[in-house]
Amino acid sequence: MDTRKSLCKSPVIIADREAWAEKDLKHTKTIEVEIGFGSGEYLLRRAAEYPERLFIGIEKKAGMITEVSKRVTCLKLNNIRLLESCAKDAFTDLFPANSISRAYSLFPDPWPKRKHLQYRLFSSEYLRLLNNRLIFGSEALIVTDSEDYCNWMLKQLPDTGFEVENSIIPPQFDTRFERKWLEQNFNTFFRILLKKVRHIET
Ligand SMILES: C[S@@+](CC[C@H](N)C(=O)[O-])C[C@H]1O[C@@H](n2cnc3c(N)ncnc32)[C@H](O)[C@@H]1O
């Protein structure tokens, strides 16, 4: 039996983006979005903590969507929706301007090789798109293990409409990648907190 097909019928997974945006998105007050949720630990914890909010997890790997959707069902969380997509496409197609209350990405792929820099998600162009979709005054949190990626992101920030606060933080998210780094004795991470202070038209 094709489990993915049967799971696609699950209300947890957004199978029809347009219908979903028309039906659910318009009727929800507070929306939080996690970009690249991986095994979903942080998404699941936040959704359990804030049952009145809607949580949308965006992840490009189908296997992660399947794994996390099973956990959402087991935990009986009815305020999570999972979207199998590249985050850029999801933000472009699915969310209107000024619709997201909080966004976060924990340990986004750092693409350390120079020839792969083009694949880094938080480019200036993407930050402008993210700004457009966030509500004025709301925040986006990015945490990375890579100092190089952190510095690169800071250079992308001018003209993206965000005020930035960056700091070095101890482990605190208990995700698969945070645990992986801890096992390798990395005990500090780079946190970038963005606050939308100006609206960017895209
Ligand atoms: C290094 S893992 C971190 C996973 C999780 N946040 C954690 O802390 O364990 C990065 C995740 O982002 C996902 N990802 C990478 N690029 C993406 C994109 N453009 N859109 C959506 N997800 C993406 C990957 O599939 C992977 O699951």
Side-chain angles (χ1 to χ4, degrees), residues 34-41 58-61 64 83 85-88 105-111 119 121 145 173-181:
E34 180 162 0
I35 301 155
F37 57 77
S39 303
E41 295 94 336
I58 306 171
E59 171 55 62
K60 68 176 186 183
K61 284 193 191 136
M64 299 285 104
L83 185 66
S85 174
C86 168
K88 277 183 193 161
S105 183
L106 303 177
F107 307 100
D109 292 336
W111 295 104
Y119 301 125
L121 188 58
D145 47 280
F173 299 101
D174 196 25
T175 64
R176 185 181 286 179
F177 271 78
E178 187 180 80
R179 290 194 295 272
K180 189 184 122 180
W181 290 119

Side-chain angles (χ1 to χ4, degrees), residues 9-21:
K9 287 180 196 143
S10 153
V12 171
I13 297 174
I14 299 171
D16 180 342
R17 294 177 182 207
E18 274 176 34
W20 184 79

Side-chain angles (χ1 to χ4, degrees), residues 99-141:
S99 59
I100 299 170
S101 301
R102 188 169 182 260
Y104 30 89
S105 183
L106 303 177
F107 307 100
D109 292 336
W111 295 104
K113 290 186 183 157
R114 184 169 283 274
K115 64 177 177 186
H116 292 148
L117 288 186
Q118 60 191 304
Y119 301 125
R120 285 181 167 174
L121 188 58
F122 292 94
S123 63
S124 180
E125 187 194 349
Y126 179 70
L127 287 165
R128 290 170 71 83
L129 175 64
L130 180 62
N131 169 298
N132 181 278
R133 298 324 194 228
L134 282 167
I135 291 168
F136 189 82
S138 63
E139 291 177 339
L141 169 72

